């Protein structure tokens, strides 16, 4: 749990904000991702996320794994997860929305928004209970100290989590975010946050022997091992600054992000038959560390006026990443059955030496933007990256990996009338390779970076002032990493994802806002492994299509009440690298409601949500031939208030 020093620091911030609190401005009670979403591509607000995509899945790839994270638009090599006490939400930048990023990336960008303190004194408290037995309490505060010149924000969260496999965890989080504005257009925002995860029970993973899924298992029945608990610490610290400089706008940020798993376990049910009989295996890994110092310095200058505006951006990014991983030990626990309890004595693990790797990367770039009123927009960019990676394995140092690519991006949007625009874009990038998953024989291995390319085009139509339609097509290509038949995670060819995206968002009737979208994906693996029949043409775990519909209705006659429904549907996906069987598609439905009222004179909101209301069971693909399962129906009750 949170140590005494962290709790004391956050408590002082909250107490200061509460002292003499005046009329409140809504901070947490107004959070609503459907109301905040500009499109259906991905929005997160207040711990809820909606959209076709999320931070770990854009067009079938992971922006997090690729290193395409931004904080307030600036490059951030995130290793430790952000707490909601530090960030207020995120947006997925893809297609036309990627124009907001001066230097786009092929796998899309996830842009996080800091929970910056404003000029009003507010303390927000959020409490939540779930039908699984989970509970949480969060408090966020902002305190103006010197008029508009200095403000301090911070937050604390305490969580008792309960998971679909029947396990749980205790989590605490804390953040501190001052904001200093010493002069006009000058701003400095340092921040610090920490998450502590304690006693997180390892969720079992099922690895099938043949080409059939196991039978459905009872959810929330823990059939892992009670001694296989994970502890983890995640920290993020840094500062952002902006100021005018000789006619240019200067923005910059420097960040330190770290994740420290103190000890981790994997509980595997290997060679599981269709009736659930399997060999149980426990894999334990000693303490690991993943830490990166990163940042970006950017100069921007605009020219022209409203009729024809131009902008130039000059950027330097860098990161210095250190990883320590490996040294795991594997112990057989004997036979068992998937879904049935069978606790074994805690074995004695013998850990081996670990692997160290060090990545240093610098990227310099320049981009140009031109916008002509009622005509269109042009975006051009060029970057030069210098990449170096050193790996010291238990057997000795490996050859140093180097790369120095020249990267380009270009996009053009042409206005086809006052409310429509047609766009096309090309992006070439250098991204992190995916790390070998826990179920791989070489778990934790981090391959060298990969070069990626993306082409996309489409149209955006503002049907009304409050309703927007976006339709487009894309193609993304990159090397394909997956587990082979021996569970070795390695390159197996090249993968191409191409598809069509459709997004509709906005108010379609008084009080009714809809965010909906769909993306059919034609994903294909190519290469020698495919030609030889070792690997199938479909990449593992990529659904044939995704569809989401979110609707939020606030009756005009009852403005204090709103009702919402969310539908998420996906198509079948390949279950193993050889493509010899698939996991069927699934459709899940959530329903909820909000009631806004006053509590002791302060704004408050009561939120009720039922997730997976039809209690649908589905297997999730965790790797080639490896599976977990989804959460059953759950009811949650959340009370928010702004004091």
């Amino acid at each position: 749990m949170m140590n005494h020093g962290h709790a004391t620091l956050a408590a002082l911030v909250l107490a200061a904000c509460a002292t003499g609190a005046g009329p409140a401005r809504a901070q947490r009670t107004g959070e609503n991702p459907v109301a905040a979403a500009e499109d259906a591509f991905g929005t997160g607000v207040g711990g809820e996320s909606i959209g076709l995509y999320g931070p770990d899945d854009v067009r079938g790839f992971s922006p997090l794994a690729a290193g395409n994270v931004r904080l307030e638009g600036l490059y951030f090599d995130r290793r430790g997860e952000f707490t909601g006490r530090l960030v207020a939400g995120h947006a997925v930048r893809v297609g036309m929305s990627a124009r907001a990023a001066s230097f786009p990336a092929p796998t899309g960008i996830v842009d996080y928004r800091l929970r910056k303190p404003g000029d009003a004194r507010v303390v927000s408290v959020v409490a939540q209970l779930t039908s699984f037995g989970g509970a949480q309490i969060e408090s966020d505060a902002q305190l103006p100290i010197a008029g508009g010149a200095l403000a301090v924000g911070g937050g604390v969260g305490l969580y008792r989590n309960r998971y679909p496999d029947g396990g749980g965890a205790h989590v605490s989080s804390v953040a501190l975010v001052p904001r200093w504005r010493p002069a006009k257009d000058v701003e400095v925002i340092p921040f610090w946050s920490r998450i502590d995860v304690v006693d997180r029970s390892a969720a079992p993973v099922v690895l099938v022997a043949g080409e059939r899924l196991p039978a459905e298992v009872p959810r929330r029945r823990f059939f892992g091992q009670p001694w296989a608990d994970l502890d983890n610490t995640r920290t993020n610290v840094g500062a952002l600054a902006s100021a005018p400089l000789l006619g240019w706008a200067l923005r910059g940020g420097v960040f330190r992000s770290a994740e420290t798993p103190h000890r981790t376990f994997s509980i595997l049910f290997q060679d599981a038959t269709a009736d659930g009989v399997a060999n149980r295996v426990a894999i334990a890994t000693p303490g690991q560390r993943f830490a990166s110092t990163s940042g970006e310095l950017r100069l921007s200058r605009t020219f022209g006026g409203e009729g024809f505006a131009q902008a130039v951006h000059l950027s330097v990014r860098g990161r210095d990443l250190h990883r320590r991983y490996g040294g795991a030990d594997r112990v057989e626990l004997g036979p068992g059955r998937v879904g049935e309890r069978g606790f074994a004595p805690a074995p004695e693990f013998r850990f081996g030496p670990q692997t160290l790797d060090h990545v240093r990367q610098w990227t310099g770039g320049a981009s140009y933007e031109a916008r002509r009123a009622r005509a269109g927009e042009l975006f051009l960019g060029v970057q030069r990256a210098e990449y170096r990676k050193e790996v010291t394995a238990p057997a000795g140092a490996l050859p140093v990996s180097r790369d120095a690519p020249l990267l380009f991006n270009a996009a053009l949007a042409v206005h086809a009338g006052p409310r429509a625009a047609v766009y096309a874009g090309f992006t070439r990038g250098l991204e992190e390779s995916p790390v070998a998953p826990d179920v791989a024989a070489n778990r934790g291995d981090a391959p060298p970076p990969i070069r990626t390319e993306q082409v996309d085009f489409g149209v955006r139509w503002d049907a009304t002032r409050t309703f927007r339609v976006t339709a487009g097509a894309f193609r993304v290509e990159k090397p394909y990493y997956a587990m082979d038949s021996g569970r070795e995670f390695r390159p197996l060819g090249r993968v191409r994802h191409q598809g069509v995206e459709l997004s509709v968002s906005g108010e379609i009737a008084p009080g009714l806002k809809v965010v909906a979208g769909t993306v059919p994906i034609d994903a294909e693996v190519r290469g020698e492994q495919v030609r030889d029949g070792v690997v199938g043409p479909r990449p593992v775990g990529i659904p044939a299509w995704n569809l989401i519909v979110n609707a939020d209705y606030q009756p005009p006659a009852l403005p204090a009440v709103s009702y919402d429904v969310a539908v998420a549907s996906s198509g079948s996906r390949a279950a193993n690298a050889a493509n010899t069987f698939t996991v069927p598609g699934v459709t899940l439905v959530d329903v909820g409601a909000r009631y806004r009222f006053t509590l002791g004179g302060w704004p408050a909101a009561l939120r009720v949500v039922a997730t997976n209301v039809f209690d649908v069971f589905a297997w999730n693909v965790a790797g080639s031939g490896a599976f977990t399962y989804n959460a059953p129906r759950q009811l949650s009750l959340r009370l928010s208030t702004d004091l």
Side-chain angles (χ1 to χ4, degrees):
M1 299 296 288
M2 186 187 309
N3 68 42
H4 179 71
H6 300 152
T8 301
L9 176 61
L12 287 173
V13 173
L14 299 179
C17 293
T19 303
R25 178 175 62 84
Q27 185 180 22
R28 298 293 307 274
T29 56
E31 293 177 330
N32 184 335
V34 178
E38 297 180 359
D39 53 43
F41 296 126
T43 301
V45 174
E48 294 187 61
S49 296
I50 65 169
L52 288 169
Y53 303 135
D56 211 29
D57 180 17
V58 174
R59 295 175 173 173
F61 300 107
S62 170
L64 291 181
N68 297 334
V69 173
R70 305 291 184 267
L71 182 64
E72 295 288 336
L74 296 173
Y75 173 73
F76 191 118
D77 186 23
R78 199 199 83 169
R79 296 293 142 179
E81 181 184 356
F82 288 135
T83 169
R85 316 284 56 75
L86 177 69
V87 297
H90 71 265
V92 174
R93 308 293 186 191
V94 67
M96 285 199 76
S97 67
R99 297 176 307 162
S102 299
F103 301 95
T107 311
I109 287 174
V110 180
D111 195 358
Y112 287 88
R113 187 176 70 257
L114 271 178
R115 198 177 288 279
K116 294 185 286 190
D119 297 330
R121 182 181 289 112
V122 184
V123 176
S124 299
V125 179
V126 179
Q128 178 170 304
L129 297 173
T130 73
S131 56
F132 283 9
Q136 66 182 56
I137 185 165
E138 299 170 342
S139 185
D140 300 291
Q142 57 183 39
L143 170 66
I145 294 177
L150 180 63
V152 177
V156 178
L158 298 173
Y159 311 84
R160 184 181 68 200
N161 293 343
R162 294 294 180 264
Y163 303 112
D165 59 88
H170 293 91
V171 182
S172 62
S173 67
V174 60
L176 183 64
V177 188
R179 186 181 189 183
W180 181 40
R181 289 170 284 188
K184 182 182 179 182
D185 299 324
V186 178
E187 182 176 74
V188 180
I189 307 176
F191 64 85
W192 168 82
S193 72
R194 175 172 172 137
I195 300 174
D196 287 286
V197 181
V198 179
D199 296 335
R200 168 57 167 110
S201 51
V205 179
V206 180
L207 294 90
V208 300
E211 299 174 359
R212 292 180 59 189
L213 290 171
E216 181 178 325
V217 299
R219 289 170 291 188
R220 300 202 60 233
R221 176 192 291 174
F222 183 67
F223 60 98
Q225 297 297 325
W227 40 263
D229 286 339
L230 296 70
D231 295 340
N232 200 331
T233 300
R234 301 156 182 160
T235 57
N236 287 289
V237 61
L240 301 99
S242 59
L245 179 65
L246 302 176
W248 293 71
L250 173 66
R251 293 192 68 223
V254 60
F255 316 111
R256 178 71 172 174
S257 181
E259 177 164 11
T260 308
H262 304 297
R263 193 173 182 180
T264 59
F265 294 90
S266 295
I267 302 299
L268 310 180
F269 281 70
Q270 283 195 325
D271 301 322
T273 62
D275 60 359
V277 177
N279 299 317
R280 297 177 301 164
V281 175
I283 300 175
T285 306
Q288 304 169 80
R289 183 165 174 80
F290 311 89
S292 180
T293 301
S294 63
E296 179 178 3
L297 185 65
R298 185 183 300 176
L299 277 169
S300 303
R301 186 162 187 170
T302 57
F303 309 86
E306 294 183 3
F308 182 52
Q310 303 174 79
V312 174
H313 305 280
L314 305 176
S315 169
V316 177
R317 301 175 187 166
R319 63 172 177 148
D320 191 69
L321 168 65
H322 291 265
R323 288 183 278 216
R324 185 184 78 246
Y325 58 89
D329 189 23
R330 174 190 179 98
V331 174
E332 302 282 342
L333 300 179
R337 188 179 293 272
V338 175
E340 293 186 2
R341 290 193 176 105
F343 299 150
E348 290 190 13
F349 293 98
R350 299 178 182 274
F351 299 123
Q354 294 187 294
T355 297
L356 305 176
D357 77 37
H358 176 208
V359 172
R360 183 170 293 167
Q361 180 176 346
W362 291 97
T363 304
S367 70
Y368 169 77
E369 303 173 10
R371 294 178 170 86
R372 182 173 290 279
R374 298 180 298 278
E377 302 161 273
L378 174 67
F379 304 85
L380 299 171
V382 60
Q383 301 177 78
R384 175 62 182 265
E386 295 283 347
Y387 178 94
R388 176 186 172 92
K389 178 175 180 177
E390 301 173 78
V391 179
T392 304
L398 301 180
V400 175
S401 298
R402 291 183 175 90
D403 202 359
L406 195 62
L407 309 173
F408 303 93
N409 66 272
L412 176 67
V414 178
H415 294 175
R419 291 185 175 180
V422 179
Y423 71 93
F426 170 80
T427 304
R428 177 176 293 167
L430 183 72
E431 300 183 341
E432 282 283 348
S433 303
V435 175
D438 287 347
V439 293
N442 56 334
R443 64 200 308 265
D445 278 8
I450 55 179
R451 299 191 186 192
T452 60
E453 287 187 0
Q454 174 180 280
V455 176
D456 59 2
F457 60 90
V459 60
R460 187 185 68 192
W461 176 44
D462 293 330
T464 69
R465 291 187 303 105
T466 60
F467 188 72
R468 171 175 291 176
V469 179
T470 304
F474 64 86
R475 186 185 69 209
V476 184
E477 293 191 13
K478 60 176 64 180
Y480 178 58
Y481 280 81
M483 291 190 300
D484 60 20
S485 57
R487 301 204 180 279
E488 185 82 9
F489 187 78
R490 62 186 183 89
L492 299 179
R494 287 189 65 82
V495 65
R496 183 208 64 197
H497 290 190
Q498 61 184 18
V500 177
E501 297 166 326
L502 175 64
S503 161
V504 295
S505 61
E507 192 172 29
I508 61 175
L512 177 60
K513 181 168 184 181
V514 172
V515 177
T518 185
V519 52
I521 296 180
D522 175 21
E524 182 182 10
V525 180
R526 300 173 178 177
E528 184 177 341
Q529 298 279 323
V530 179
R531 291 192 298 270
D532 293 343
V534 177
V535 175
R538 288 184 64 185
V540 174
I542 305 301
W545 49 268
N546 283 319
L547 180 145
I548 63 102
V549 178
N550 294 85
D552 188 279
Y553 179 56
Q554 184 174 347
L558 296 171
V561 178
S562 64
Y563 308 96
D564 56 275
V565 61
V567 179
S569 184
S570 62
S572 64
R573 61 199 72 194
N576 62 357
N579 290 180
T580 54
F581 72 115
T582 62
V583 170
V586 62
T587 299
L588 304 176
V589 179
D590 305 337
V591 297
R594 288 180 174 85
Y595 173 55
R596 289 164 287 274
F597 60 103
T598 57
L599 185 64
W602 306 107
L606 184 65
R607 171 82 166 132
V608 180
V609 180
T611 56
N612 192 4
V613 292
F614 298 112
D615 204 27
V616 175
F617 181 93
W619 288 104
N620 301 319
V621 180
S624 179
F627 305 94
T628 59
Y629 49 85
N630 71 326
R633 179 171 47 237
Q634 180 179 205
L635 185 68
S636 64
L637 181 68
R638 185 171 72 214
L639 176 64
S640 309
T641 183
D642 296 319
L643 307 175

